[in-house]
Amino acid sequence: MSSLQALCSGLPLRPLPENRGRWPGVPHAPVRTPGLSPAEEQLALRNALRYFPPDVQKLLAPEFAQELRLYGHIYMYRFCPTIQMRAYPIQQYPSRTRAAAAIMHMIMNNLDPAVAQYPQELVTYGGNGQVFSNWAQFWLTMSYLSKMTEDQTLVMYSGHPLGLFPSSPGAPRLVITNGMVIPNYSSRSEYEKLFALGVTMYGQMTAGSYCYIGPQGIVHGTVLTVLNAGRRYLGVQDLAGKVFVTSGLGGMSGAQAKAAVILGCIAVIAEVDKAALFKRHQQGWLMEVTDSLDQCIQRLREARKKKEVLSLGYHGNVVDLWERLVHELDTTGELLVDLGSDQTSCHNPFNGGYYPVQLGFTEAQRLMASNPDKFKGLVQESLRRHVSAINRLAQDNFFFWDYGNAFLLEAQRAGADVEKKGANKMEFRYPSYVQHIMGDIFSQGFGPFRWVCTSGDPEDLAVTDQLATSVLEKAIAEGATTESVKLQYMDNVRWIREAAKHHLVVGSQARILYSDQKGRVAIAEAINQAIASGKVKAPVVLSRDHHDVSGTDSPFRETSNIYDGSAFCADMAVQNFVGDACRGATWVALHNGGGVGWGEVINGGFGLVLDGTPEAEQKARAMLSWDVSNGVSTPRTPGSSSTPSEVSPPQQIQTADRGQSSPALRGSSRPPWPLQTFSRTFFAVSDTDLTCSVQPVSEVPQKSQPFLGAEPPPVLKGLTWGWGGTSLNHVAAFVLVPGMKPRGASPLSPCPQPFFVFH
């Protein structure tokens, strides 16, 4: 058992630690098949050895070469630390800055065996979401962080610590990039080679940015998704007696069982990996387990009849489960399922993310390593069967959605019947959960905001829970801007109360909720003040999932409801990364891949340390405001199947500099004319955002006069202009585009074309 002091002292070289290889009794990543040539194998070996002095290289070279042959990657198992890997209280880390200690706390949480999917291979979740590429990188990073000052920044290249560089106290302490491969070479096959060479890695989202908080994060997202699916598809608020069928109990997907219990429904979750299934059962997240389809169907019928709350894990392939549900429907006429989805790691289908129904788990792993082409063929055949069963059930009153794991994308590539006639290439027969459910929530500025109490004390988490609840209840009492926003606040108040009851903490003392910009800033301020007063005993790290309002450009998930042609552009995610770095983030990360797979998405995240100082509070206001505003202001056209009357009005943006309000613009039509600027800011908004009425300047309401002045600015002369009141009771001046006339003669009639708004 080594100490944290030893862990931060650099690579242990003299003497070298004992090589214990792969530990028994611990889940391990599937064997990778990068297909390296002999010359590339030599290059991979040289790249791994460059972390070590020449005399040590001679001893390690044969060992690393064997790892590459056996596992398809050099993980450097010899250097896997013997210390118990977990998030230790921040004061125990040897460091010169609180920020560096907080980062070490977060890194070790990502590698905690209770949290990580394959801890010895440094995989946190998703089958291939790496924290580092090898253990040498871990040791060096911890050493750099222990030495870091407030005038330095640590730079990370895909797991490789480049070094400490001079910066300033206002700059990020850590800047991470993962998988930044030239676009033409960002293919799945190229990735396998580049990862084996040790020159890039797949950081998923919060794995490589050191911000994962265990399955709690996806529990909340699943709760909101299934809850709103019930509202949308089934027309119910209460899911008692309703059946949700899905698959996956590994990393993030392990949250599905707990989400079902919180919602009070019945969930049947298939999992091929017995170790993953029993891990969730032992943690208390899964109520019952069976490996019998007969027993599974019998238990499902009982629970449905009695409206029991049940999370049932089926140890077997989900395709068998779906086909059995079809059999029950065809032979008895009874539809036993209401809602369905899939949370296999289908972004990585041929390397352990999806197991074919034709083979058992162990047999499939052997074939994956020995004959990748045959394994791929079986996976694609299994996907076709998978979709065929779902299609049959969907002919009745059953609703399925893609959970953003590339399931429908890979099914389409396999030749499954998922086509939606007349649709664009981002649409399939079934919607993604963003297109039908979460997209409208994101458009209001709500997304997965989270915090971690670095003291490791549950009492601190309880205090922050109460603070967050008070903030949301106050927002409700003061009158949320719309009923939809109010509903989001109420859902999250319920969530925090349920989270404490259901013991959702795995690893660090963390909490997640969905909040908008106003809520995030208010919660951050309340927590920072609690740290200053001593109510919270140690710094708190603010973060979020990259899967958020503005963190991710992903045409088959986060931006799948963008139909103006820009869904395949990554400006939003990159600007988010840069903007957060400029506004006070303690660390920032930008990744290729995440969720739907390598080359399919660009995403970014941040960590921000609150330490009770005024400077931390100022950074939180500025950075959190940008982090949300960047997304809701994106000039894109979201499209869901909702009619305009069903789409909630935009959430308000509080600008960080002046505290003024302006309409949220995520989803606004991109204007064909240039925006003009004089002394105020112009925004382009769509006709669903505001109502308008042409009025002379003398009749502009008094409260908008401070923004307008007595006469229109010169740039407005010659244009028809007036004032408009939003459905949020917010008065704003507007300028009609030349030649445009408002529809109808009555005041506050809808404008048929986009127009300018200024303050």
Side-chain angles (χ1 to χ4, degrees), residues 381-453:
E381 180 187 334
S382 186
L383 283 166
R384 293 192 292 271
R385 284 175 56 180
H386 196 152
V387 168
S388 179
I390 290 168
N391 288 349
R392 170 64 188 92
L393 294 168
Q395 293 173 16
D396 285 67
N397 195 34
F398 161 72
F399 301 92
F400 183 89
W401 67 89
D402 184 291
Y403 221 126
N405 60 338
F407 171 72
L408 291 178
L409 178 63
E410 289 300 334
Q412 179 192 54
R413 290 168 175 168
D417 183 12
V418 295
E419 180 185 358
K420 179 180 178 181
K421 290 182 172 59
N424 64 40
K425 59 184 176 180
M426 298 180 302
E427 294 181 282
F428 302 101
R429 173 182 289 207
Y430 306 104
S432 79
Y433 75 122
V434 172
Q435 288 170 326
H436 267 201
I437 301 168
M438 300 305 291
D440 288 343
I441 293 174
F442 282 170
S443 293
Q444 295 175 79
F446 283 83
F449 180 58
R450 58 180 60 167
W451 61 91
V452 176
C453 298

Side-chain angles (χ1 to χ4, degrees), residues 311-649:
S311 59
L312 174 61
Y314 167 60
H315 180 215
N317 197 291
V318 72
V319 178
D320 286 327
L321 177 58
W322 284 120
E323 291 180 342
R324 178 61 181 267
L325 290 167
V326 170
H327 173 77
E328 295 297 322
L329 176 61
D330 289 341
T331 57
T332 69
E334 187 178 13
L335 180 65
L336 295 174
V337 57
D338 302 288
L339 301 169
S341 190
D342 184 89
Q343 277 199 38
T344 56
S345 295
C346 217
H347 67 276
N348 186 35
F350 312 124
N351 285 285
Y354 183 97
Y355 283 82
V357 66
Q358 305 93 324
L359 302 174
F361 181 64
T362 304
E363 187 183 3
Q365 285 193 317
R366 284 198 295 263
L367 184 65
M368 190 193 315
S370 64
N371 193 336
D373 290 340
K374 184 175 181 180
F375 181 81
K376 178 179 179 180
L378 292 177
V379 165
Q380 294 188 322
E381 180 187 334
S382 186
L383 283 166
R384 293 192 292 271
R385 284 175 56 180
H386 196 152
V387 168
S388 179
I390 290 168
N391 288 349
R392 170 64 188 92
L393 294 168
Q395 293 173 16
D396 285 67
N397 195 34
F398 161 72
F399 301 92
F400 183 89
W401 67 89
D402 184 291
Y403 221 126
N405 60 338
F407 171 72
L408 291 178
L409 178 63
E410 289 300 334
Q412 179 192 54
R413 290 168 175 168
D417 183 12
V418 295
E419 180 185 358
K420 179 180 178 181
K421 290 182 172 59
N424 64 40
K425 59 184 176 180
M426 298 180 302
E427 294 181 282
F428 302 101
R429 173 182 289 207
Y430 306 104
S432 79
Y433 75 122
V434 172
Q435 288 170 326
H436 267 201
I437 301 168
M438 300 305 291
D440 288 343
I441 293 174
F442 282 170
S443 293
Q444 295 175 79
F446 283 83
F449 180 58
R450 58 180 60 167
W451 61 91
V452 176
C453 298
T454 64
S455 65
D457 189 341
E459 290 183 7
D460 276 357
L461 183 59
V463 172
T464 59
D465 278 352
Q466 184 55 52
L467 291 171
T469 302
S470 298
V471 165
L472 299 185
E473 288 177 336
K474 181 181 178 182
I476 295 169
E478 291 178 347
T481 52
T482 69
E483 282 302 311
S484 179
V485 169
K486 181 180 178 180
L487 182 63
Q488 292 304 317
Y489 283 144
M490 292 171 64
D491 284 348
N492 280 278
V493 168
R494 172 188 172 188
W495 157 257
I496 295 178
R497 289 174 176 158
E498 291 291 326
K501 291 179 189 176
H502 289 278
H503 309 291
L504 292 173
V505 169
V506 177
S508 58
Q509 294 294 316
R511 184 67 72 227
I512 186 171
L513 57 79
Y514 269 54
S515 183
D516 58 358
Q517 177 184 318
K518 178 181 177 182
R520 296 185 202 203
V521 172
I523 291 169
E525 291 173 341
I527 291 175
N528 195 62
Q529 290 161 17
I531 297 168
S533 69
K535 291 180 181 178
V536 173
K537 294 180 283 297
V540 171
V541 174
L542 301 182
S543 186
R544 58 161 169 76
D545 196 343
H546 297 200
H547 164 67
D548 192 26
V549 178
S550 72
T552 298
D553 283 298
S554 177
F556 294 100
R557 194 163 85 172
E558 283 80 359
T559 48
S560 61
N561 65 332
I562 301 297
Y563 296 125
D564 71 346
S566 65
F568 292 88
C569 300
D571 300 86
M572 181 176 71
V574 175
Q575 289 285 359
N576 180 263
F577 164 80
V578 175
D580 285 354
C582 293
R583 289 170 174 83
T586 308
W587 74 93
V588 289
L590 186 67
H591 296 183
N592 172 9
V596 295
W598 181 264
E600 304 284 358
V601 50
I602 297 293
N603 63 90
F606 74 87
L608 193 156
V609 177
L610 297 178
D611 58 9
T613 62
E615 292 80 9
E617 195 164 315
Q618 182 181 6
K619 288 178 178 180
R621 286 196 204 102
M623 201 225 75
L624 293 174
S625 295
W626 165 253
D627 197 63
V628 178
S629 298
N630 175 47
V632 295
S633 302
T634 300
R636 295 173 171 182
T637 307
S640 68
S641 59
S642 302
T643 62
S645 63
E646 293 175 316
V647 177
S648 301

Side-chain angles (χ1 to χ4, degrees), residues 35 129 269 394 636 648 665 680 684 724:
I269 307 130
R636 295 173 171 182
S648 301
L665 307 180
R680 305 295 183 196

Side-chain angles (χ1 to χ4, degrees), residues 148-155 163-175 586:
M148 176 191 289
T149 70
E150 293 286 359
D151 293 306
Q152 294 176 316
T153 293
L154 175 59
V155 177
L164 292 171
F165 292 85
S167 59
S168 68
R173 300 279 66 78
L174 176 67
V175 176
T586 308

Side-chain angles (χ1 to χ4, degrees), residues 105-339:
H105 178 94
M106 301 290 281
I107 288 173
M108 292 189 71
N109 185 68
N110 273 24
L111 294 169
D112 182 342
V115 173
Q117 187 177 12
Y118 304 126
Q120 230 190 336
E121 287 77 39
L122 304 107
V123 173
T124 300
Y125 70 90
N128 59 353
Q130 302 286 147
V131 186
F132 299 98
S133 179
N134 59 58
W135 283 106
Q137 294 174 348
F138 167 81
W139 284 90
L140 291 171
T141 299
M142 296 293 283
S143 177
Y144 281 132
L145 288 169
S146 71
K147 296 178 176 65
M148 176 191 289
T149 70
E150 293 286 359
D151 293 306
Q152 294 176 316
T153 293
L154 175 59
V155 177
M156 301 293 297
Y157 280 13
S158 293
H160 172 73
L162 194 65
L164 292 171
F165 292 85
S167 59
S168 68
R173 300 279 66 78
L174 176 67
V175 176
I176 303 167
T177 53
N178 283 311
M180 293 291 106
V181 173
I182 304 301
N184 281 353
Y185 304 91
S186 189
S187 66
R188 185 176 288 158
S189 59
E190 284 292 332
Y191 168 72
E192 292 298 331
K193 285 192 174 186
L194 293 172
F195 179 61
L197 291 174
V199 296
T200 196
M201 76 176 200
Y202 185 75
Q204 267 284 357
M205 291 188 163
T206 53
S209 66
Y210 320 145
C211 292
Y212 192 61
I213 59 169
Q216 178 189 170
I218 193 64
V219 171
H220 186 31
T222 305
V223 164
L224 288 180
T225 300
V226 179
L227 176 65
N228 285 286
R231 291 167 176 166
R232 181 185 179 101
Y233 299 132
L234 306 178
V236 299
Q237 295 286 343
D238 183 0
L239 289 170
K242 302 301 181 184
V243 178
F244 174 50
V245 172
T246 182
S247 57
L249 285 166
M252 297 184 72
S253 59
Q256 297 181 104
K258 181 63 78 173
V261 173
I262 292 173
L263 288 166
C265 69
I266 301 158
V268 183
I269 307 130
E271 172 59 61
V272 295
D273 185 351
K274 189 174 183 178
L277 184 141
F278 278 94
K279 179 179 180 179
R280 297 304 176 203
H281 188 237
Q282 289 163 3
Q283 287 175 337
W285 287 48
L286 189 62
M287 294 169 65
E288 299 178 20
V289 172
T290 181
D291 59 3
S292 165
L293 270 177
D294 289 341
Q295 186 178 347
C296 184
I297 296 300
Q298 179 184 345
R299 188 70 186 92
L300 172 55
R301 279 198 167 99
E302 290 172 358
R304 193 163 171 258
K305 183 177 180 180
K306 297 176 183 178
K307 294 189 175 181
E308 290 182 56
V309 177
L310 175 65
S311 59
L312 174 61
Y314 167 60
H315 180 215
N317 197 291
V318 72
V319 178
D320 286 327
L321 177 58
W322 284 120
E323 291 180 342
R324 178 61 181 267
L325 290 167
V326 170
H327 173 77
E328 295 297 322
L329 176 61
D330 289 341
T331 57
T332 69
E334 187 178 13
L335 180 65
L336 295 174
V337 57
D338 302 288
L339 301 169

